[in-house]
Amino acid sequence: SYGNIILTLTDLTSTGDTTATHGEDVDVTLVADIGFDLPNTITVTVDGSPLTVVDDYSYNVSTGAINIPGTNVTGAVAITAAGEAQGG
């Protein structure tokens, strides 16, 4: 195991996986706090290197679902995201 997924979330919470294991998919869902929308973009890194959305992981802006295929889980996983204020 690569330990806990490092979540740096602003105006968001998350459900789903809390740890990353080599070769196993990581599935996390972002949930926006009241008064906030899910972000259009997020940052995902593995072992400090940024992944590319679509190529390396998927993020659904409508549902907040993030999937990192197990083939890309080769080190510590970090997800950074910030909610966007509604009506802004």
Side-chain angles (χ1 to χ4, degrees):
S1 168
Y2 295 118
N4 289 337
I5 298 168
I6 302 159
L7 295 164
T8 306
L9 305 177
T10 305
D11 302 314
L12 302 166
T13 55
S14 68
T15 60
D17 294 342
T18 57
T19 60
T21 302
H22 181 83
E24 292 186 13
D25 281 21
V26 168
D27 289 291
V28 173
T29 300
L30 300 179
V31 180
D33 291 351
I34 293 172
F36 291 86
D37 290 325
L38 292 169
N40 287 320
T41 59
I42 63 173
T43 301
V44 177
T45 63
V46 171
D47 216 15
S49 299
L51 299 187
T52 303
V53 69
V54 181
D55 290 344
D56 301 327
Y57 71 97
S58 66
Y59 169 60
N60 185 321
V61 70
S62 299
T63 65
I66 303 164
N67 171 266
I68 308 169
T71 50
N72 291 329
V73 180
T74 55
V77 173
I79 299 170
T80 304
E84 298 177 1
Q86 292 174 353

